[in-house]
Amino acid sequence: MAKIAVISGSPTETSRLNGLLQAVRARIEGEGWDYKEIQVRLLPPEDLIYTRFDSPSIVEANRIVAEADAVIVATPIYKASYTGVLKTFLDLIPQKGLAGKIVLPLALGGTIAHLLAIDYALRPVLSALGSQHIRGGVYALDAQVSRLEGGGFVLEEELLDRLELAAADLVREIRKSANEQQSLVAN
């Protein structure tokens, strides 16, 4: 069974970013795979700000990332970049903590002007952490995700289609990687 770690860099509990994550989670869990979400905003702020690598909360979050076959990194876009909350956690991942992992970035912004934030802000950091398998990612607009009054979200059909394609790509890459590893072990 594949293990998927999700790093959510949203600083708010009611972020529309959760709508994107719910859609991708449904696809991943539909595969019968393990899905564990790290909500960075729930980690102790002192541990993040003071870079306490040995904090039990940080050690546990890094264990989840280390054991994952793939990592989904999700963030709202503020001021043309990913959130500071996300950056504080990324700084605590070991130097090559994403090596050998398939990474899918997801971003949500208020304007199309930040469409390239994944490529120009997030991708270099993910590469610096050792990932050589960064998928194309999905950038969504706030306007494409509506909050429901009783909780939950509704996503525009076009966005759902793009998320499904990204999730299908992630599933395909995880399977491909697993098959390659099995072939190496067999030989």
Side-chain angles (χ1 to χ4, degrees), residues 43-116:
L43 295 172
E46 302 83 20
D47 295 346
L48 294 167
I49 296 299
Y50 295 119
T51 58
R52 294 182 179 148
F53 291 92
D54 60 349
S55 151
S57 296
I58 300 303
V59 169
E60 174 61 13
N62 278 330
R63 183 193 62 75
I64 290 168
V65 172
E67 292 179 358
D69 299 295
V71 179
I72 298 170
V73 179
T75 183
I77 300 298
Y78 298 146
K79 309 230 184 323
S81 187
Y82 54 92
T83 63
V85 171
L86 178 60
K87 177 66 166 130
T88 61
F89 180 67
L90 294 176
D91 285 345
L92 289 164
I93 294 176
Q95 184 61 38
K96 296 297 177 188
L98 296 181
K101 309 233 182 274
I102 301 161
V103 178
L104 174 63
L106 301 177
L108 180 75
T111 173
I112 197 72
H114 301 304
L115 175 66
L116 296 177

Side-chain angles (χ1 to χ4, degrees), residues 34-180:
D34 186 39
Y35 178 102
K36 291 195 175 157
E37 192 169 316
I38 300 163
Q39 293 184 29
V40 179
R41 68 179 179 75
L42 297 179
L43 295 172
E46 302 83 20
D47 295 346
L48 294 167
I49 296 299
Y50 295 119
T51 58
R52 294 182 179 148
F53 291 92
D54 60 349
S55 151
S57 296
I58 300 303
V59 169
E60 174 61 13
N62 278 330
R63 183 193 62 75
I64 290 168
V65 172
E67 292 179 358
D69 299 295
V71 179
I72 298 170
V73 179
T75 183
I77 300 298
Y78 298 146
K79 309 230 184 323
S81 187
Y82 54 92
T83 63
V85 171
L86 178 60
K87 177 66 166 130
T88 61
F89 180 67
L90 294 176
D91 285 345
L92 289 164
I93 294 176
Q95 184 61 38
K96 296 297 177 188
L98 296 181
K101 309 233 182 274
I102 301 161
V103 178
L104 174 63
L106 301 177
L108 180 75
T111 173
I112 197 72
H114 301 304
L115 175 66
L116 296 177
I118 290 175
D119 291 329
Y120 291 107
L122 192 53
R123 189 175 299 272
V125 175
L126 300 174
S127 293
L129 289 170
S131 180
Q132 296 177 335
H133 305 287
I134 304 170
R135 309 313 300 157
V138 174
Y139 179 84
L141 294 172
D142 284 340
Q144 293 179 294
V145 182
S146 301
R147 285 188 192 99
L148 296 174
E149 212 171 287
F153 303 91
V154 173
L155 281 63
E156 286 186 1
E157 195 65 34
E158 183 271 338
L159 174 57
L160 279 171
D161 291 344
R162 289 190 295 123
L163 287 168
E164 173 56 32
L165 286 172
D169 175 63
L170 182 67
V171 166
R172 188 173 40 257
E173 288 301 310
I174 292 168
R175 286 188 176 139
K176 179 180 166 186
S177 178
N179 289 339
E180 290 170 357

